Amino acid sequence: MKIHRLLSVSLAMFGWSITGGFVYGDYPTPEKILEHLAGDEGDISARFKRSFCEVREEAAKSRISGQGDPRKLVGEKELFLLPPKEGVSSERLADNEGHWSRRYFVSGDFLVKIDGLTVQKSEDIDELMRYKQYCDEFAIATERGCWKYEWHGDLADIFKTLASEAFAERLLGKATVDAFYRQTKYSRTTVYVFVYPSFDSTCPSTVSFCLMYRQVLKGGQGGCFYPMWIGFNFRYDIENNRFTNTPVKLSTLRVGTRCVDTKKSIKN
């Protein structure tokens, strides 16, 4: 009874309805995924923010105790990620412009992309934040002088949390993440994290983030068919290291043959 009430609350919040049957492969039903996203409070935004803070705090405690950073990227422990290009050292990336350029155009069956650049492991994100061209371009995009270089440490920490398996499991549920891994044999799989600068001069440290988990069937089977595609958008204040008061938005949810229209309903 509690489950049905929770689902009704979470669906009503976004004006969704569920009708008819659907095919969703290895994945839990859309109802189950929405139920986990909403959590006990029936609020996707609150669960997202709480899960993010918990994973980040646990990582900080682990580092302080000398156990290292437990935030492995989605797919990192499963060895789905591609090895570095042959002949390219993975030890020093920050000053190797050619290496990052090659990584940008890497294509494969399982990728994690941070602002469009492919990363192989969590530590690569630290290197990306020291890559001068990336830092300069971001500073220019936010109107020169608004973006501070010292914010890149916090930005790296946010990227690591969002792209981590620990966060994915808390947010989506272990059953969904397990299905995500099983589906890789049939799909081209990508975890995207993008950050967009704010052009509001009164709040230059507030940025917009986009997080997406996406799979597309290999070989163009069935046209543009997505076994799963879930996306979120939110705003974050880097200077004060906190979420803004605006809610996290579930921008996309596709499972098998069904799509959640966040403005209307689940439909074919």
Side-chain angles (χ1 to χ4, degrees):
M1 191 70 176
K2 180 181 178 181
I3 291 176
H4 291 299
R5 285 201 303 269
L6 174 60
L7 179 60
S8 296
V9 170
S10 61
L11 292 176
M13 287 170 58
F14 297 93
W16 295 331
S17 64
I18 297 179
T19 58
F22 47 84
V23 178
Y24 43 84
D26 290 334
Y27 281 100
T29 64
E31 294 98 325
K32 289 292 185 183
I33 294 176
L34 283 169
E35 178 186 324
H36 191 87
L37 283 171
D40 292 337
E41 59 268 75
D43 187 335
I44 292 174
S45 178
R47 182 175 180 82
F48 186 104
K49 292 180 180 181
R50 187 181 70 251
S51 298
F52 174 91
C53 293
E54 288 173 352
V55 170
R56 201 174 179 190
E57 288 170 5
E58 288 169 7
K61 290 178 181 177
S62 180
R63 291 195 304 272
I64 291 172
S65 66
Q67 299 179 47
D69 195 327
R71 292 172 299 181
K72 299 296 182 183
L73 301 182
V74 176
E76 185 176 345
K77 290 190 295 185
E78 302 292 332
L79 301 178
F80 288 130
L81 300 183
L82 296 174
K85 287 278 189 177
E86 184 178 353
V88 178
S89 170
S90 61
E91 294 180 0
R92 286 298 302 166
L93 309 178
D95 300 320
N96 190 335
E97 180 177 348
H99 186 75
W100 280 115
S101 295
R102 281 189 286 273
R103 291 159 73 82
Y104 185 92
F105 293 105
V106 164
S107 62
D109 293 337
F110 197 110
L111 298 172
V112 175
K113 285 184 174 287
I114 302 296
D115 266 0
L117 294 167
T118 303
V119 293
Q120 310 294 335
K121 55 189 185 300
S122 181
E123 292 84 353
D124 287 353
I125 296 175
D126 293 320
E127 296 290 346
L128 175 59
M129 293 300 101
R130 292 192 289 269
Y131 176 36
K132 189 175 185 302
Q133 183 175 330
Y134 176 87
C135 297
D136 289 347
E137 288 177 353
F138 204 94
I140 292 171
T142 56
E143 298 179 290
R144 191 181 301 276
C146 292
W147 183 259
K148 300 177 183 178
Y149 274 85
E150 56 264 34
W151 291 343
H152 282 89
D154 289 325
L155 185 59
D157 201 54
I158 294 169
F159 281 145
K160 288 180 183 181
T161 301
L162 292 173
S164 71
E165 182 181 276
F167 179 66
E169 286 194 350
R170 293 203 184 193
L171 183 66
L172 306 177
K174 191 175 187 304
T176 300
V177 173
D178 287 346
F180 191 68
Y181 284 150
R182 287 195 297 272
Q183 191 64 41
T184 57
K185 66 180 73 172
Y186 312 110
S187 309
R188 296 198 179 280
T189 298
T190 312
V191 177
Y192 296 94
V193 184
F194 292 100
V195 61
Y196 303 93
S198 169
F199 296 97
D200 182 357
S201 59
T202 64
C203 193
S205 67
T206 296
V207 295
S208 297
F209 281 93
C210 173
L211 167 65
M212 289 190 291
Y213 305 91
R214 192 177 75 168
Q215 292 181 315
V216 183
L217 280 188
K218 295 178 184 178
Q221 302 172 34
C224 190
F225 178 73
Y226 299 91
M228 194 271 266
W229 183 0
I230 301 180
F232 303 87
N233 295 318
F234 67 93
R235 289 173 65 78
Y236 197 88
D237 184 344
I238 299 285
E239 178 85 85
N240 295 297
N241 205 8
R242 66 189 181 194
F243 286 93
T244 66
N245 291 329
T246 57
V248 176
K249 294 182 179 179
L250 177 63
S251 59
T252 306
L253 174 53
R254 294 173 180 263
V255 184
T257 61
R258 302 306 297 269
C259 171
V260 171
D261 185 330
T262 57
K263 295 181 179 179
K264 297 180 182 177
S265 62
I266 294 181
K267 61 183 181 179
N268 290 315

